[in-house]
Amino acid sequence: MSRTCELTAKAVQTGNNVSHANNKTKRRFLPNLVNVTLISEVLNQNVRLRISANALRSVEHRGGLDAFLAKADAKELSQRARLLKKQIAKKLAEQAAA
């Protein structure tokens, strides 16, 4: 399992530890990933995702998973999230037609 957020594509970054003597050694900056269960109101189902804490705040700010995925760029989303986005868009189109 990669250390990448499924919604915002935040991933591991690299950098240096710098000592007082200005010695530099490689280090990794890991994203704060959490396993969450989000509810899709359109699909009436729970969705388990591994997302960053920052993405979780963004999802809540935008009004839920459905609203977040509607505005999200497909390039940043994981395969599972892209599939969810398509399913939600299809379901909304069906509801609008009916």
Side-chain angles (χ1 to χ4, degrees), residues 22-77:
N22 207 26
N23 297 331
K24 296 172 183 73
T25 56
K26 285 292 186 185
R27 65 160 291 178
R28 298 172 74 202
F29 294 95
L30 301 177
N32 184 11
L33 296 178
V34 291
N35 292 316
V36 295
T37 302
L38 298 172
I39 300 169
S40 171
E41 288 110 19
V42 174
L43 300 176
N44 291 327
Q45 67 181 13
N46 295 334
V47 181
R48 289 184 51 85
L49 295 170
R50 190 170 189 221
I51 63 175
S52 64
N54 187 14
L56 182 57
R57 292 185 66 203
S58 298
V59 167
E60 291 176 3
H61 178 76
R62 286 197 183 165
L65 180 64
D66 301 333
F68 181 88
L69 288 175
K71 288 186 175 181
D73 187 14
K75 295 176 197 168
E76 292 183 351
L77 300 174

